[in-house]
Amino acid sequence: MNDVYRLLIIVGILAVQYFFSTRSNVYWGAVVPVVYIGISTWMFVTERIESTLGLILYLLLGLLFLIAEWSAGRKSLHLKRNKELAKMKTHDMN
């Protein structure tokens, strides 16, 4: 597979993770990491990832990025809610 396609797939996955993380239910943000762990484990079992150390490094690095996107999405959601509350308070004062 071409490196550009791999990069586009990774960016797409991170975008989906960010989108799920900005939903009101916090558990939507767990969907992509669980799928990632499942696919990585399947790749290890079918010997597409040859070493245990490789699996651990892939899991740690991938989960690090997915958790970072989850955190950014949750912060964005909280900021958006706080802005809406501030708007509502200013309308109530008038």
Side-chain angles (χ1 to χ4, degrees), residues 8-82:
L8 289 175
I9 290 171
I10 291 170
V11 169
I13 290 170
L14 290 175
V16 168
Q17 174 65 9
Y18 182 83
F19 173 76
F20 280 163
S21 298
T22 57
R23 305 299 95 198
S24 61
N25 190 345
V26 71
Y27 296 114
W28 279 109
V31 171
V32 176
V34 168
V35 170
Y36 177 73
I37 290 170
I39 290 173
S40 296
T41 304
W42 173 77
M43 288 176 68
F44 179 70
V45 169
T46 59
E47 297 180 359
R48 293 181 183 183
I49 299 176
E50 297 175 0
S51 69
T52 307
L53 181 62
L55 173 68
I56 293 170
L57 290 176
Y58 280 128
L59 283 175
L60 288 176
L61 187 62
L63 289 175
L64 176 73
F65 282 107
L66 291 172
I67 290 171
E69 286 298 311
W70 178 81
S71 178
R74 297 310 295 173
K75 285 179 186 176
S76 172
L77 178 66
H78 288 297
L79 287 174
K80 185 177 175 182
R81 284 182 179 169
N82 287 338

